[in-house]
Amino acid sequence: MADKQDLIIGEDGLARCFWAGPQADYIVYHDEEWGFPVDSDTRLFEKICLEGFQSGLSWYTILSKRENFRKAFHGFDITKVAAMDEDDVERLVLDAGIIRHRGKIKSTINNANRALELIEEQGSLAKYFWGYEPKDRAPVTSRAEVPATTDVSTAMSKDLKKRGWSFVGPTTAYAFMQAMGLVNDHLVGCFVYEKVEEAKANFKRP
């Protein structure tokens, strides 16, 4: 079981990871999204891009603007994002609904083009990313055991950078792995931990 100080008990009496909340939408994200395995190329692309935007900021800042990001980047349709140009960059730099970081906006467009190349080579982003799922990883029981990076996330980062992706450092790669279910970093004792384990057991790897 996780150390009780690393779990929070909600008004519903359920134990959650230390970072869940207090905002209602953050709790929903923790309970229903984070850590559950994903095989949708669109969602995988969205997440790797949003993790890049998150660099230097809190994830909740990005989550609270996620719908604005989706509107700005065509629902993270990879082909549509890849076709965006400098006029789109200038427009989005002025969009107060997102993070107005020119480098990260341009990175998203670049990464869409690199994603199309990866899909052409591998068949899907899902097949590529799930190739980095760690094997025999021990569950985490305290926040101190949750790493910021791992050898696997570092390897993913290096390979993506070699392929021309940007804003995909080892920390960004590991946060992506956590969110998309390649690892289950819900603490043992969090009520979602077993749900994610069950979802991963039933998940068909690409």
Side-chain angles (χ1 to χ4, degrees), residues 150-196:
T150 64
D151 290 345
V152 177
S153 76
T154 299
M156 178 194 290
S157 171
K158 286 182 177 179
D159 190 67
L160 288 171
K161 289 178 179 179
K162 183 179 178 180
R163 294 171 180 273
W165 292 61
S166 51
F167 284 95
V168 286
T171 302
T172 294
Y174 191 69
F176 168 82
M177 292 170 64
Q178 291 175 304
M180 297 289 94
L182 277 73
V183 295
N184 181 4
D185 273 354
H186 284 279
L187 302 185
V188 176
C190 169
F191 89 99
V192 184
Y193 173 81
E194 292 295 343
K195 291 187 175 185
V196 169

Side-chain angles (χ1 to χ4, degrees), residues 53-149:
F53 272 101
Q54 186 268 331
S55 179
L57 303 168
S58 73
W59 170 246
Y60 185 71
T61 297
I62 304 302
L63 181 64
S64 65
K65 295 176 179 289
R66 186 166 62 173
E67 290 305 319
N68 296 331
F69 275 106
R70 287 172 172 170
K71 182 178 180 181
F73 289 104
H74 305 287
F76 288 93
D77 180 296
I78 300 170
T79 301
K80 291 180 179 178
V81 176
M84 294 173 71
D85 57 22
E86 285 298 324
D87 288 340
D88 294 301
V89 173
E90 295 304 320
R91 173 175 54 82
L92 293 183
V93 166
L94 300 176
D95 187 343
I98 66 170
I99 304 301
R100 295 179 289 180
H101 187 294
R102 184 181 299 272
K104 293 176 180 180
I105 292 168
K106 295 182 75 170
S107 173
T108 300
I109 299 170
N110 168 73
N111 289 351
N113 282 278
R114 304 293 76 78
L116 291 177
E117 294 168 356
L118 196 51
I119 292 168
E120 179 70 19
E121 176 191 323
Q122 300 269 340
S124 68
L125 290 185
K127 183 177 180 181
Y128 172 80
F129 284 124
W130 277 94
Y132 285 95
E133 181 184 14
K135 307 301 181 186
D136 302 319
R137 184 173 181 276
V140 291
T141 59
S142 72
R143 71 172 76 190
E145 295 176 10
V146 181
T149 65

